[in-house]
Amino acid sequence: MPIKPISSRDNSLYKELKLLAASSQARRKEGRTLLDGVHLCESYLLQVGKPLLCIVGETAMRNDEVATILRRCDDLSAQTILLPDHLFNALSQVENGIDILFLIETPQLAQPPCLSRSAVLLDRVQDPGNFGSIVRSAAAAGIEQVFCSAGTTFAWSPKVMRAGMGAHFLLAIYEHVDLADLLERTDIPVVATSSHAQQRIYDLDLTQPVAWLFGHEGQGVADGLLECATHRVTIPHLGAIESLNVAASAAVCFFEQVRQRMTHYPP
């Protein structure tokens, strides 16, 4: 499929892309978002397939990695548009990156009736970097589902996806979930971290599926949800720091479960 050049900022398609790039509300309303950079585009092609649209800047056309992506898009009959660098830069939030974007649809998934395998539940986690780091660690630990309460940052924002480094495409992510209702319909243990808990994460049996519950960066898990937890655990540390960042806490928890399961069920 031939590459279509766009040179005017008044082009209707360019205006649509610029709105999506700038507005989380527009991304939510349209059910579409932008993937920024070579790594995310490569991951999408590998894990999902054909994007709605490929957008590339003029200078990036000389990049070998971009050329490979463009050939794959052509094989998939995905439309590609070419922008002058100054128009592309108005769409991208990455400084000194390689100028390639994908326009994709954000998945709209039917929520499962209950939890039967290890999952992550996020209660009002608001920092995009934290969210992206959590889903990246979850995917690396073999967890496949993430459930987000209202008030949690938009899972498919460009900043979250850059922090996730392609993990989104390995996970089923559900947004605007009533976590209390979901927890009432699950039989697997629910584990929440708390700096005030007495039980250590390392003393808990994690060889079976669990629902990991993490909360707001400053306020933690809401009290009503915390009461639903089967276990409240702490992560012991030696330094004079009150608690860990939520993304760091999640990584410790996920990989303690990996360690226990690999010890209990050696490959």
Side-chain angles (χ1 to χ4, degrees):
M1 180 175 290
I3 297 176
K4 177 183 178 181
I6 292 177
S7 58
S8 171
R9 66 180 69 253
D10 295 323
N11 177 276
S12 59
L13 175 56
Y14 180 75
K15 287 182 176 180
E16 291 177 16
L17 293 173
K18 193 171 181 182
L19 181 60
L20 288 174
S23 170
S24 179
Q25 182 178 1
R27 291 189 289 268
R28 289 178 184 270
K29 180 180 178 181
E30 297 298 326
R32 296 181 173 187
T33 194
L34 294 169
L35 306 183
D36 202 332
V38 165
H39 180 80
L40 283 178
C41 293
E42 288 177 337
S43 297
Y44 190 85
L45 289 171
L46 179 64
Q47 301 297 337
V48 183
K50 177 181 175 180
L52 295 175
L53 182 67
C54 175
I55 306 107
V56 63
E58 283 183 336
T59 300
M61 290 290 289
R62 299 191 291 269
N63 182 278
D64 291 340
E65 291 176 301
V66 169
T68 299
I69 291 172
L70 295 181
R71 284 194 295 270
R72 180 59 180 148
C73 287
D74 187 56
D75 291 342
L76 295 170
S77 298
Q79 182 182 2
T80 297
I81 64 170
L82 175 65
L83 298 177
D85 290 345
H86 70 281
L87 291 186
F88 186 97
N89 291 340
L91 302 181
S92 176
Q93 298 177 4
V94 177
E95 293 185 11
N96 303 316
I98 298 174
D99 292 350
I100 188 166
L101 293 161
F102 276 1
L103 174 66
I104 67 165
E105 290 183 338
T106 53
Q108 307 296 320
L109 305 176
Q111 184 179 315
C114 63
L115 297 180
S116 59
R117 50 185 170 172
S118 288
V120 181
L121 283 66
L122 300 180
D123 174 33
R124 298 167 298 131
V125 172
Q126 296 184 344
D127 181 78
N130 283 336
F131 190 114
S133 295
I134 290 171
V135 297
R136 186 178 181 184
S137 295
I143 296 171
E144 298 175 349
Q145 295 179 323
V146 178
F147 298 86
C148 309
S149 73
T152 298
T153 190
F154 182 41
W156 297 92
S157 75
K159 288 183 179 180
V160 171
M161 288 188 296
R162 287 200 302 276
M165 293 292 289
H168 285 66
F169 314 134
L170 300 171
L171 298 163
I173 301 176
Y174 305 90
E175 297 190 284
H176 298 287
V177 177
D178 184 336
L179 296 183
D181 177 68
L182 180 63
L183 290 177
E184 288 180 359
R185 297 182 281 107
T186 183
D187 295 326
I188 64 174
V190 179
V191 181
T193 56
S194 170
S195 59
H196 306 295
Q198 299 299 313
Q199 186 176 25
R200 305 189 315 164
I201 182 67
Y202 307 118
D203 299 327
L204 191 63
D205 181 1
L206 300 173
T207 57
Q208 301 302 317
V210 300
W212 295 106
L213 177 58
F214 301 102
H216 182 275
E217 286 84 353
Q219 302 167 10
V221 177
D223 291 341
L225 287 176
L226 200 57
E227 292 175 0
C228 298
T230 313
H231 304 281
R232 302 181 195 181
V233 297
T234 187
I235 299 172
H237 50 278
L238 301 178
I241 297 294
E242 180 181 354
S243 61
L244 294 176
N245 168 278
V246 64
S249 297
V252 171
C253 292
F254 299 157
F255 286 95
E256 173 59 14
Q257 184 177 35
V258 169
R259 185 195 69 81
Q260 290 191 24
R261 299 197 73 174
M262 292 183 71
T263 301
H264 194 76
Y265 305 108

